[in-house]
Coordinates of all heavy atoms in Angstrom, one line a residue:
M10 N 11.3 11.3 -7.6 CA 12.2 11.7 -6.7 C 12.7 10.4 -5.8 O 11.9 9.6 -5.3 CB 11.6 12.7 -5.7 CG 11.2 14.1 -6.3 SD 10.4 15.1 -5.2 CE 11.8 15.7 -4.3
E11 N 14.0 10.3 -5.7 CA 14.5 9.2 -4.9 C 14.2 9.2 -3.4 O 14.1 8.1 -2.9 CB 16.1 9.2 -5.1 CG 16.8 8.0 -4.7 CD 18.3 8.0 -4.9 OE1 18.7 8.5 -5.9 OE2 19.0 7.4 -4.1
S12 N 14.0 10.4 -2.8 CA 13.7 10.4 -1.5 C 12.3 9.8 -1.2 O 12.0 9.2 0.0 CB 13.7 11.8 -0.9 OG 12.7 12.6 -1.6
L13 N 11.4 10.0 -2.2 CA 10.0 9.3 -2.0 C 10.2 7.8 -2.0 O 9.5 7.2 -1.3 CB 9.1 9.8 -3.1 CG 8.7 11.3 -3.0 CD1 7.9 11.5 -4.4 CD2 8.0 11.6 -1.9
C14 N 11.0 7.2 -2.7 CA 11.1 5.8 -2.8 C 11.8 5.2 -1.5 O 11.6 3.9 -1.4 CB 11.9 5.4 -4.0 SG 11.2 6.0 -5.5
K15 N 12.5 6.0 -0.8 CA 13.1 5.5 0.4 C 12.1 5.4 1.6 O 12.4 4.8 2.7 CB 14.3 6.3 0.8 CG 15.5 6.0 -0.2 CD 16.6 7.0 0.2 CE 17.8 6.8 -0.9 NZ 18.9 7.6 -0.5
D16 N 11.0 6.2 1.6 CA 10.0 6.3 2.7 C 9.1 5.1 2.5 O 7.9 5.3 2.0 CB 9.5 7.6 2.7 CG 8.5 7.8 3.9 OD1 8.4 6.9 4.8 OD2 7.6 8.7 3.8
T17 N 9.4 3.9 2.9 CA 8.5 2.8 2.7 C 7.1 2.9 3.4 O 6.1 2.6 2.8 CB 9.2 1.5 3.2 OG1 10.5 1.4 2.7 CG2 8.4 0.3 2.7
K18 N 7.2 3.4 4.6 CA 5.9 3.6 5.2 C 5.0 4.6 4.6 O 3.7 4.5 4.5 CB 6.1 3.9 6.8 CG 6.7 2.8 7.6 CD 6.9 3.1 9.1 CE 7.4 2.0 9.8 NZ 7.5 2.3 11.2
G19 N 5.6 5.7 4.1 CA 4.9 6.6 3.4 C 4.3 6.2 2.1 O 3.2 6.6 1.7
L20 N 5.1 5.4 1.4 CA 4.7 4.7 0.1 C 3.4 3.8 0.4 O 2.5 3.8 -0.3 CB 5.7 4.0 -0.5 CG 6.8 4.7 -1.3 CD1 7.9 3.8 -1.8 CD2 6.1 5.4 -2.4
L21 N 3.6 3.1 1.5 CA 2.5 2.2 1.9 C 1.2 2.9 2.2 O 0.0 2.6 1.8 CB 2.8 1.3 3.1 CG 1.9 0.2 3.5 CD1 1.5 -0.7 2.3 CD2 2.5 -0.5 4.7
S22 N 1.3 4.0 2.9 CA 0.1 4.9 3.3 C -0.4 5.5 2.1 O -1.7 5.5 1.9 CB 0.6 6.0 4.2 OG 0.9 5.4 5.4
L23 N 0.3 6.0 1.1 CA -0.1 6.6 0.0 C -0.8 5.6 -1.0 O -1.8 5.9 -1.6 CB 1.0 7.2 -0.9 CG 0.7 8.0 -2.2 CD1 -0.3 9.0 -2.0 CD2 1.9 8.5 -2.9
Y24 N -0.2 4.3 -1.0 CA -0.8 3.3 -1.8 C -2.3 2.9 -1.3 O -3.2 2.8 -2.1 CB 0.0 2.0 -1.7 CG -0.6 0.8 -2.4 CD1 -0.6 0.8 -3.8 CD2 -1.2 -0.3 -1.7 CE1 -1.2 -0.3 -4.4 CE2 -1.7 -1.4 -2.4 CZ -1.7 -1.4 -3.6 OH -2.3 -2.5 -4.4
E25 N -2.4 2.8 0.0 CA -3.8 2.6 0.6 C -4.7 3.8 0.4 O -5.9 3.6 0.1 CB -3.6 2.1 2.1 CG -3.0 0.7 2.1 CD -2.9 0.3 3.6 OE1 -3.0 1.1 4.6 OE2 -2.7 -1.0 3.8
A26 N -4.2 5.0 0.5 CA -5.1 6.2 0.4 C -5.4 6.3 -1.1 O -6.6 6.9 -1.3 CB -4.3 7.4 0.8
S27 N -4.7 5.9 -2.0 CA -5.1 6.1 -3.5 C -6.4 5.3 -3.8 O -6.9 5.6 -4.8 CB -3.9 5.6 -4.4 OG -3.7 4.2 -4.2
Y28 N -6.7 4.3 -3.0 CA -8.0 3.5 -3.3 C -9.2 4.3 -2.7 O -10.2 3.8 -3.2 CB -7.8 2.1 -2.7 CG -7.0 1.2 -3.6 CD1 -5.7 0.9 -3.4 CD2 -7.6 0.6 -4.6 CE1 -5.0 0.1 -4.1 CE2 -6.9 -0.4 -5.4 CZ -5.6 -0.6 -5.3 OH -4.8 -1.3 -6.0
L29 N -9.0 5.3 -2.1 CA -10.1 6.1 -1.6 C -10.5 7.3 -2.5 O -11.2 8.1 -2.2 CB -9.8 6.6 -0.2 CG -9.6 5.5 0.8 CD1 -9.2 6.0 2.2 CD2 -10.9 4.6 0.9
S30 N -9.8 7.4 -3.7 CA -9.9 8.4 -4.5 C -11.4 8.4 -5.4 O -11.8 7.2 -5.4 CB -8.8 8.6 -5.6 OG -8.8 7.4 -6.4
F31 N -11.8 9.4 -5.8 CA -13.0 9.5 -6.7 C -12.6 9.2 -8.2 O -11.5 9.3 -8.5 CB -13.7 10.8 -6.6 CG -14.2 11.1 -5.2 CD1 -13.6 12.0 -4.4 CD2 -15.4 10.4 -4.8 CE1 -14.2 12.2 -3.1 CE2 -16.0 10.6 -3.6 CZ -15.3 11.6 -2.8
E32 N -13.5 8.7 -8.9 CA -13.3 8.5 -10.4 C -13.0 9.7 -10.9 O -13.5 10.9 -10.8 CB -14.6 7.9 -11.0 CG -14.4 7.5 -12.3 CD -15.8 6.9 -12.8 OE1 -16.5 6.3 -12.1 OE2 -16.0 7.0 -14.1
G33 N -11.8 9.7 -11.8 CA -11.4 10.8 -12.5 C -10.3 11.6 -11.9 O -9.8 12.6 -12.5
E34 N -9.9 11.2 -10.6 CA -8.7 11.7 -10.0 C -7.4 11.2 -10.5 O -7.0 10.2 -10.1 CB -8.8 11.6 -8.4 CG -9.8 12.5 -7.8 CD -9.7 12.5 -6.4 OE1 -10.2 11.5 -5.7 OE2 -9.0 13.3 -5.7
N35 N -7.0 11.8 -11.6 CA -5.9 11.2 -12.3 C -4.5 11.2 -11.4 O -3.7 10.3 -11.6 CB -5.5 12.0 -13.6 CG -6.6 11.8 -14.5 OD1 -7.3 10.9 -14.6 ND2 -6.8 12.9 -15.4
L36 N -4.3 12.2 -10.6 CA -3.2 12.2 -9.7 C -3.1 11.0 -8.8 O -2.1 10.4 -8.7 CB -3.2 13.5 -9.0 CG -1.9 13.7 -8.1 CD1 -0.7 13.9 -9.0 CD2 -2.1 15.0 -7.3
M37 N -4.3 10.7 -8.2 CA -4.3 9.5 -7.4 C -4.1 8.2 -8.1 O -3.6 7.3 -7.6 CB -5.6 9.6 -6.6 CG -5.7 10.6 -5.6 SD -4.3 10.7 -4.4 CE -4.8 9.5 -3.3
E38 N -4.6 8.1 -9.4 CA -4.4 6.9 -10.2 C -2.9 6.8 -10.4 O -2.4 5.6 -10.5 CB -5.2 7.0 -11.5 CG -6.7 6.8 -11.3 CD -7.1 5.6 -10.8 OE1 -6.4 4.5 -11.1 OE2 -8.0 5.5 -10.0
E39 N -2.2 7.9 -10.8 CA -0.8 7.9 -11.0 C 0.0 7.4 -9.7 O 1.0 6.7 -9.7 CB -0.3 9.2 -11.5 CG -0.8 9.7 -12.8 CD -0.4 11.0 -13.2 OE1 0.5 11.6 -12.6 OE2 -1.0 11.5 -14.3
A40 N -0.5 7.9 -8.5 CA 0.1 7.6 -7.3 C 0.0 6.1 -7.0 O 0.9 5.3 -6.5 CB -0.4 8.3 -6.1
K41 N -1.2 5.4 -7.5 CA -1.5 4.1 -7.2 C -0.5 3.2 -8.0 O 0.1 2.3 -7.5 CB -2.9 3.7 -7.6 CG -3.3 2.4 -7.3 CD -4.8 2.0 -7.8 CE -5.7 3.1 -7.4 NZ -7.2 2.8 -7.9
V42 N -0.3 3.5 -9.3 CA 0.7 2.9 -10.1 C 2.1 3.0 -9.6 O 2.8 2.1 -9.5 CB 0.5 3.4 -11.6 CG1 1.6 2.8 -12.5 CG2 -0.9 3.1 -12.1
F43 N 2.5 4.3 -9.3 CA 3.8 4.6 -8.7 C 4.2 3.8 -7.5 O 5.1 3.1 -7.4 CB 4.0 6.0 -8.6 CG 5.3 6.5 -7.9 CD1 6.4 6.6 -8.6 CD2 5.3 6.7 -6.5 CE1 7.6 7.0 -8.0 CE2 6.4 7.1 -5.9 CZ 7.5 7.3 -6.7
T44 N 3.3 3.9 -6.5 CA 3.5 3.2 -5.3 C 3.5 1.7 -5.4 O 4.2 0.9 -4.8 CB 2.4 3.6 -4.2 OG1 1.1 3.4 -4.6 CG2 2.6 5.0 -3.8
N45 N 2.6 1.1 -6.2 CA 2.5 -0.4 -6.5 C 3.9 -0.8 -7.0 O 4.4 -1.9 -6.6 CB 1.4 -0.7 -7.4 CG 1.1 -2.2 -7.6 OD1 1.8 -2.9 -6.9 ND2 0.1 -2.5 -8.2
K46 N 4.3 -0.2 -8.0 CA 5.6 -0.5 -8.7 C 6.7 -0.4 -7.6 O 7.6 -1.4 -7.6 CB 5.8 0.4 -9.9 CG 7.2 0.3 -10.6 CD 7.3 1.3 -11.6 CE 8.9 1.4 -12.0 NZ 9.1 2.6 -12.8
H47 N 6.9 0.7 -6.9 CA 8.0 0.8 -6.1 C 7.9 -0.2 -4.7 O 8.9 -0.6 -4.2 CB 8.1 2.2 -5.6 CG 8.7 3.1 -6.6 ND1 8.0 3.6 -7.7 CD2 10.0 3.3 -6.9 CE1 8.8 4.2 -8.5 NE2 10.1 4.1 -8.2
L48 N 6.7 -0.3 -4.3 CA 6.5 -1.3 -3.2 C 6.9 -2.6 -3.5 O 7.6 -3.4 -2.7 CB 5.1 -1.3 -2.7 CG 4.7 0.0 -1.8 CD1 3.3 -0.1 -1.5 CD2 5.5 0.1 -0.5
K49 N 6.5 -3.1 -4.8 CA 7.0 -4.4 -5.2 C 8.6 -4.5 -5.3 O 9.2 -5.6 -5.1 CB 6.4 -4.7 -6.5 CG 4.9 -5.1 -6.4 CD 4.3 -5.4 -7.7 CE 2.7 -5.8 -7.5 NZ 2.1 -6.0 -8.7
G50 N 9.2 -3.4 -5.8 CA 10.6 -3.5 -6.0 C 11.3 -3.3 -4.7 O 12.4 -3.9 -4.5
I51 N 10.8 -2.6 -3.7 CA 11.5 -2.5 -2.5 C 11.4 -3.6 -1.5 O 12.3 -3.8 -0.6 CB 10.9 -1.1 -1.7 CG1 11.3 0.1 -2.4 CG2 11.4 -1.1 -0.2 CD1 10.6 1.3 -1.9
K52 N 10.4 -4.4 -1.7 CA 10.0 -5.6 -0.8 C 11.2 -6.4 -0.5 O 11.4 -6.9 0.6 CB 8.8 -6.2 -1.4 CG 8.1 -7.2 -0.4 CD 6.8 -7.6 -1.0 CE 7.1 -8.5 -2.2 NZ 5.8 -9.1 -2.7
G53 N 12.0 -6.8 -1.5 CA 13.1 -7.7 -1.3 C 14.3 -7.0 -0.6 O 15.1 -7.7 -0.1
K54 N 14.3 -5.7 -0.5 CA 15.4 -5.0 0.1 C 15.2 -4.6 1.6 O 16.1 -4.2 2.3 CB 15.7 -3.6 -0.6 CG 16.0 -3.9 -2.1 CD 16.1 -2.6 -2.8 CE 16.4 -2.9 -4.4 NZ 16.4 -1.7 -5.0
I55 N 14.0 -4.9 2.1 CA 13.6 -4.4 3.4 C 14.0 -5.4 4.5 O 13.7 -6.6 4.2 CB 12.2 -4.1 3.6 CG1 11.8 -3.0 2.6 CG2 11.7 -3.8 5.0 CD1 10.2 -2.7 2.6
V56 N 14.6 -5.1 5.6 CA 15.0 -6.0 6.6 C 13.9 -6.2 7.6 O 13.8 -7.4 8.1 CB 16.3 -5.5 7.3 CG1 16.7 -6.3 8.5 CG2 17.4 -5.1 6.3
D57 N 13.1 -5.3 7.9 CA 12.0 -5.4 8.8 C 10.9 -6.3 8.4 O 10.2 -6.1 7.4 CB 11.3 -4.0 9.2 CG 10.3 -4.0 10.2 OD1 10.2 -5.1 10.9 OD2 9.8 -3.0 10.4
K58 N 10.9 -7.5 8.9 CA 9.8 -8.5 8.4 C 8.4 -8.2 8.6 O 7.6 -8.5 7.8 CB 10.2 -9.9 9.1 CG 11.5 -10.5 8.7 CD 11.6 -11.8 9.4 CE 13.0 -12.3 8.9 NZ 13.3 -13.7 9.5
D59 N 8.1 -7.4 9.7 CA 6.7 -6.9 10.0 C 6.3 -5.9 8.8 O 5.1 -6.0 8.3 CB 6.6 -6.2 11.3 CG 6.7 -7.1 12.5 OD1 6.5 -8.4 12.3 OD2 7.2 -6.8 13.5
L60 N 7.2 -5.1 8.3 CA 6.9 -4.2 7.4 C 6.7 -4.9 6.0 O 5.8 -4.5 5.2 CB 7.9 -2.9 7.2 CG 7.8 -1.9 6.3 CD1 6.5 -1.2 6.5 CD2 8.9 -1.0 6.2
V61 N 7.5 -5.8 5.7 CA 7.3 -6.7 4.6 C 6.0 -7.4 4.5 O 5.3 -7.4 3.5 CB 8.4 -7.7 4.3 CG1 8.3 -8.6 3.1 CG2 9.7 -7.0 4.1
E62 N 5.6 -7.8 5.8 CA 4.2 -8.6 5.9 C 3.2 -7.5 5.6 O 2.1 -7.9 5.0 CB 4.2 -9.2 7.3 CG 3.1 -10.0 7.4 CD 3.1 -10.7 8.8 OE1 4.1 -11.2 9.3 OE2 2.0 -10.8 9.5
H63 N 3.3 -6.3 6.1 CA 2.3 -5.3 5.8 C 2.2 -5.0 4.4 O 1.1 -4.7 3.9 CB 2.5 -4.0 6.7 CG 2.1 -4.1 8.1 ND1 0.8 -4.0 8.5 CD2 2.9 -4.2 9.1 CE1 0.7 -4.1 9.8 NE2 2.0 -4.3 10.3
I64 N 3.3 -4.9 3.7 CA 3.4 -4.5 2.3 C 2.7 -5.7 1.6 O 1.8 -5.4 0.6 CB 4.8 -4.2 1.8 CG1 5.2 -3.0 2.4 CG2 4.8 -4.3 0.3 CD1 6.8 -2.8 2.1
D65 N 3.0 -6.9 1.8 CA 2.3 -8.1 1.1 C 0.8 -8.0 1.3 O -0.1 -8.3 0.5 CB 2.9 -9.4 1.7 CG 4.3 -9.6 1.1 OD1 4.7 -9.1 0.0 OD2 5.1 -10.4 1.8
H66 N 0.5 -7.7 2.6 CA -1.1 -7.7 2.9 C -1.7 -6.5 2.1 O -2.8 -6.8 1.6 CB -1.1 -7.5 4.4 CG -2.5 -7.8 4.9 ND1 -3.1 -9.0 5.0 CD2 -3.4 -7.0 5.5 CE1 -4.3 -9.0 5.4 NE2 -4.5 -7.7 5.9
A67 N -1.1 -5.5 2.0 CA -1.8 -4.4 1.3 C -1.8 -4.5 -0.1 O -2.8 -4.2 -0.8 CB -0.9 -3.1 1.6
L68 N -0.7 -5.3 -0.7 CA -0.8 -5.5 -2.1 C -1.7 -6.7 -2.5 O -2.3 -6.8 -3.6 CB 0.7 -5.8 -2.6 CG 1.7 -4.7 -2.6 CD1 3.1 -5.3 -3.0 CD2 1.3 -3.7 -3.6
E69 N -1.9 -7.5 -1.6 CA -2.9 -8.6 -1.7 C -4.3 -8.1 -1.9 O -5.1 -8.5 -2.8 CB -2.8 -9.6 -0.7 CG -3.8 -10.8 -0.8 CD -3.5 -11.8 0.3 OE1 -2.5 -11.8 0.9 OE2 -4.6 -12.4 0.7
M70 N -4.7 -7.2 -0.9 CA -6.1 -6.6 -1.0 C -6.0 -5.3 -0.1 O -5.5 -5.2 0.9 CB -7.0 -7.5 -0.2 CG -8.5 -7.0 -0.1 SD -9.7 -8.1 0.4 CE -9.7 -9.2 -0.9
H71 N -6.4 -4.2 -0.9 CA -6.3 -2.9 -0.3 C -7.3 -2.8 0.9 O -8.2 -3.5 1.0 CB -6.4 -1.9 -1.3 CG -7.7 -2.0 -2.3 ND1 -8.9 -1.5 -1.8 CD2 -7.8 -2.7 -3.4 CE1 -9.8 -1.8 -2.7 NE2 -9.2 -2.5 -3.7
L72 N -7.0 -1.7 1.6 CA -7.6 -1.4 2.8 C -9.2 -1.3 2.7 O -9.9 -1.7 3.6 CB -7.0 -0.2 3.5 CG -7.4 0.2 5.0 CD1 -7.2 -0.8 5.9 CD2 -6.9 1.5 5.3
H73 N -9.5 -0.7 1.6 CA -11.0 -0.3 1.4 C -11.9 -1.6 1.3 O -13.0 -1.5 1.6 CB -11.1 0.6 0.2 CG -12.5 1.0 -0.1 ND1 -13.1 1.9 0.7 CD2 -13.3 0.7 -1.1 CE1 -14.3 2.1 0.3 NE2 -14.5 1.5 -0.9
H74 N -11.3 -2.7 0.8 CA -12.1 -3.9 0.7 C -11.9 -4.9 1.9 O -12.5 -6.0 1.7 CB -11.6 -4.5 -0.6 CG -12.4 -3.9 -1.8 ND1 -12.8 -4.5 -3.0 CD2 -12.6 -2.7 -2.1 CE1 -13.3 -3.6 -3.8 NE2 -13.2 -2.5 -3.3
R75 N -11.1 -4.7 2.8 CA -10.9 -5.6 3.9 C -12.1 -5.5 4.9 O -12.6 -4.4 5.1 CB -9.6 -5.3 4.6 CG -8.4 -5.6 3.7 CD -7.1 -5.4 4.5 NE -6.1 -4.8 3.7 CZ -5.1 -4.2 4.1 NH1 -5.0 -3.8 5.4 NH2 -4.2 -3.8 3.2
M76 N -12.3 -6.6 5.6 CA -13.4 -6.6 6.6 C -12.7 -6.2 7.9 O -11.7 -6.9 8.3 CB -13.9 -7.9 6.7 CG -14.7 -8.5 5.5 SD -15.3 -10.1 5.6 CE -16.6 -9.8 6.7
F77 N -13.2 -5.2 8.6 CA -12.5 -4.6 9.7 C -12.4 -5.5 10.9 O -11.5 -5.5 11.6 CB -13.2 -3.3 10.2 CG -13.1 -2.2 9.1 CD1 -14.3 -1.8 8.4 CD2 -12.0 -1.6 8.8 CE1 -14.1 -0.7 7.5 CE2 -11.8 -0.6 8.0 CZ -12.9 -0.1 7.3
R78 N -13.4 -6.4 11.0 CA -13.3 -7.4 12.2 C -12.1 -8.4 11.9 O -11.5 -8.6 12.9 CB -14.5 -8.1 12.3 CG -14.7 -9.0 13.6 CD -16.1 -9.4 13.8 NE -16.1 -9.9 15.1 CZ -17.2 -10.0 15.8 NH1 -18.3 -9.6 15.3 NH2 -17.2 -10.5 17.1
L79 N -12.1 -8.9 10.8 CA -11.0 -9.8 10.4 C -9.6 -9.1 10.5 O -8.5 -9.7 10.9 CB -11.2 -10.5 9.1 CG -12.4 -11.5 9.0 CD1 -12.6 -11.8 7.7 CD2 -12.3 -12.5 10.0
E80 N -9.7 -7.9 10.1 CA -8.4 -7.0 10.1 C -8.0 -6.8 11.4 O -6.8 -6.8 11.6 CB -8.6 -5.7 9.3 CG -7.5 -5.0 8.7 CD -6.7 -6.0 7.8 OE1 -7.3 -6.8 7.2 OE2 -5.5 -5.8 7.8
A81 N -8.8 -6.6 12.4 CA -8.3 -6.5 13.8 C -7.7 -7.7 14.4 O -6.8 -7.5 15.1 CB -9.7 -6.1 14.6
R82 N -8.2 -8.9 13.9 CA -7.5 -10.1 14.3 C -6.2 -10.2 13.8 O -5.2 -10.8 14.3 CB -8.5 -11.3 13.9 CG -9.6 -11.5 14.7 CD -10.2 -12.7 14.4 NE -11.6 -12.9 15.1 CZ -12.5 -13.8 14.8 NH1 -12.3 -14.8 13.9 NH2 -13.6 -13.9 15.5
W83 N -6.0 -9.8 12.6 CA -4.7 -9.9 11.8 C -3.7 -9.0 12.5 O -2.6 -9.5 12.7 CB -4.8 -9.5 10.3 CG -3.6 -9.8 9.5 CD1 -3.1 -10.8 9.2 CD2 -2.6 -8.7 9.2 NE1 -2.0 -10.8 8.5 CE2 -1.6 -9.3 8.5 CE3 -2.6 -7.5 9.4 CZ2 -0.6 -8.7 8.0 CZ3 -1.5 -6.7 8.9 CH2 -0.5 -7.3 8.2

């Protein structure tokens, strides 16, 4: 759906949430692949530099593996 690809913050949230899935949850694995692909494609079209920075940060290392204390400083 094209409307899903336009909601960048929603895609970013779904991408980070997909890493919290249990093994065997195929829907969340598909969501991870879908959002990863679309976030990389949308990144060049976004004007908001803060949002692009958040996308780069999320694609570099997902939320589940980040250290919360360092993340608070970032």
